Amino acid sequence: DIHEHGEDSGAIDSTFQDASPQKEDQSLLLEADLFALSTSISAKEELIRQLQLSQEKYESMREFYEEKLKEMEVILSEKEAETEKLSEELKKLDVGNSKGKELSEKLKEKQRQVSELKKKQAELTRLTSVASKNESQISRLKGEVSDMKHKKVE
């Protein structure tokens, strides 16, 4: 009987020894996954922090640029009106007339100014759209971090 108990005990020990390395491997894999998840969470939280700082700086710049954009729209309207007026005056004069040549040169200069203003206006408009892209990226990253934290808890 004792001899049989000894064998049973050995069989049980053998079963625990077989299961132990498997559990240890699973535990190591779980720890590695948890570490990777924690690292990813930290990296994304840092990215969010940097984006938020960038967004705050951008907001003050955006206000400045929006004011400049309004000023530019007024100037652009004035330049377009001047261009139209010169164009009308030019139509009334003979092409060979020296006044006509002078007006033609002024018209070309006004058109160049209008073109430059429109380019600057487009760039300012593009800059103001960056904020919404940053805001959506911050929201997306916050969602990802939240999901990761839920996975970490599970």
Side-chain angles (χ1 to χ4, degrees):
D1 227 27
I2 294 173
H3 185 40
E4 282 181 26
H5 253 330
E7 286 179 22
D8 287 340
S9 174
I12 292 172
D13 286 345
S14 160
T15 305
F16 281 125
Q17 286 174 354
D18 291 341
S20 184
Q22 205 174 30
K23 285 184 180 178
E24 198 172 299
D25 287 348
Q26 284 179 332
S27 177
L28 287 174
L29 287 173
L30 194 57
E31 284 181 39
D33 287 346
L34 192 57
F35 179 76
L37 195 56
S38 294
T39 303
S40 292
I41 288 171
S42 295
K44 286 192 181 204
E45 285 177 333
E46 177 60 21
L47 182 57
I48 288 170
R49 189 186 68 74
Q50 289 175 359
L51 281 171
Q52 285 174 325
L53 287 173
S54 174
Q55 186 69 14
E56 289 169 10
K57 289 177 186 175
Y58 177 78
E59 283 300 319
S60 64
M61 285 176 49
R62 184 180 59 84
E63 290 172 10
F64 171 79
Y65 283 123
E66 283 179 348
E67 185 60 37
K68 289 292 177 191
L69 197 54
K70 288 177 187 174
E71 292 172 13
M72 191 175 289
E73 286 172 359
V74 170
I75 294 170
L76 184 59
S77 294
E78 290 171 359
K79 295 291 181 193
E80 286 175 334
E82 290 172 13
T83 301
E84 185 62 33
K85 183 179 175 188
L86 281 174
S87 180
E88 290 300 317
E89 285 182 38
L90 193 57
K91 287 178 186 174
K92 294 177 185 174
L93 295 173
D94 288 337
V95 179
N97 187 332
S98 64
K99 178 106 171 135
K101 286 181 183 177
E102 184 183 324
L103 286 177
S104 180
E105 290 302 313
K106 281 185 179 181
L107 179 61
K108 285 179 186 175
E109 177 59 22
K110 294 291 179 191
Q111 288 171 335
R112 189 193 61 75
Q113 289 174 353
V114 166
S115 176
E116 284 297 312
L117 284 171
K118 284 183 177 181
K119 285 179 188 175
K120 288 179 183 179
Q121 187 178 32
E123 179 63 15
L124 285 175
T125 301
R126 187 191 65 76
L127 286 173
T128 56
S129 72
V130 170
S132 62
K133 290 178 185 175
N134 278 353
E135 289 169 0
S136 65
Q137 188 174 15
I138 289 170
S139 292
R140 182 182 53 79
L141 286 170
K142 282 182 177 180
E144 288 176 10
V145 167
S146 178
D147 290 347
M148 290 173 144
K149 285 182 177 180
H150 282 49
K151 284 180 186 175
K152 188 175 174 182
V153 172
E154 293 173 1

